[in-house]
């Protein structure tokens, strides 16, 4: 029986994952281009993209619901962990940072490939940032509606604005 080189197989799998993530990002911008080609007169790319990210946000929130329990003291941190999980699944470098106050956490992205794809496909950085914010805000709105909570998410820094990192604060409004 041939011996399997686990490291080599893992590297191949990781390379395929990176390729798939790149295909997904490219497909997003190719979809944007095709949608604009068929959009009725007066539709702006930003409006189209924000609507798409809103739809993605509703779908993402539904996938988060079963993993959340409002009675846990880690409720806000659990939301942040789910955001990190989604971000990492798309090839982003994200992590949760605990805040100084109870029910306060931060999500920090040290790198994100989406702005590079936006540049590659001629989409403005404002669209990239506002699309990402729309996705997260929709997720938070849906979580608040289901759990009757007042979770807030604020973007403090953003790679598309030239900040070098993205940083978002999650907390419960008193």
């Amino acid at each position: 029986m041939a011996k399997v080189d686990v490291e080599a197989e893992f590297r191949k799998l990781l390379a395929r994952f990176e390729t798939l993530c790149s295909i997904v990002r490219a497909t997003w911008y190719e979809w944007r281009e095709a949608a604009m080609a068929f959009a009725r007169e007066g539709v702006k790319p930003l409006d189209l993209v924000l609507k798409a990210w809103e739809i993605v946000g509703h779908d993402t929130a539904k996938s988060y619901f079963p993993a959340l329990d409002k009675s846990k003291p880690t409720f806000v941190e659990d939301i942040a962990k789910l955001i990190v999980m989604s971000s990492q699944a798309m090839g982003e470098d994200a992590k949760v940072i605990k805040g100084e106050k109870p029910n306060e956490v931060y999500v920090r992205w040290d790198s994100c490939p989406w702005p590079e794809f936006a540049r590659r496909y001629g989409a403005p950085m404002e669209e990239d940032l506002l699309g990402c914010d729309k996705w997260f805000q929709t997720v938070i709105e849906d979580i608040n509606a289901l759990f009757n909570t007042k979770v807030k998410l604020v973007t403090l820094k953003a790679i598309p604005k030239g900040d070098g990192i993205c940083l978002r604060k999650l907390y419960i409004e008193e």
Side-chain angles (χ1 to χ4, degrees), residues 2 55 75 77 85 93 103-104 112 114 117 121 123 139 166 170:
I55 292 166
F75 182 67
E77 185 177 351
M85 179 193 66
D93 179 10
N103 292 315
E104 175 186 82
C112 178
W114 284 92
F117 275 78
Y121 285 89
V139 167
C166 287
L170 285 93

Side-chain angles (χ1 to χ4, degrees), residues 53 109 127-137 168:
W53 279 117
W109 290 260
E127 184 181 294
D128 182 61
L129 173 59
L130 294 177
C132 199
D133 282 345
K134 185 65 172 180
W135 176 40
F136 292 128
Q137 293 297 345
R168 290 181 173 86

Side-chain angles (χ1 to χ4, degrees), residues 84-158:
V84 165
M85 179 193 66
S86 294
S87 296
Q88 290 174 342
M90 291 187 293
E92 301 163 20
D93 179 10
K95 63 183 166 232
V96 175
I97 300 169
K98 291 188 181 194
E100 293 180 11
K101 300 175 186 171
N103 292 315
E104 175 186 82
V105 295
Y106 297 85
V107 177
R108 178 183 169 135
W109 290 260
D110 290 318
S111 66
C112 178
W114 284 92
E116 175 54 35
F117 275 78
R119 272 190 286 282
R120 190 179 301 175
Y121 285 89
M125 287 298 109
E126 177 189 37
E127 184 181 294
D128 182 61
L129 173 59
L130 294 177
C132 199
D133 282 345
K134 185 65 172 180
W135 176 40
F136 292 128
Q137 293 297 345
T138 302
V139 167
I140 297 302
E141 288 168 11
D142 288 2
I143 287 170
N144 284 334
L146 180 68
F147 291 97
N148 194 28
T149 52
K150 292 183 179 179
V151 176
K152 297 291 182 190
L153 182 140
V154 179
T155 299
L156 303 172
K157 294 183 179 187

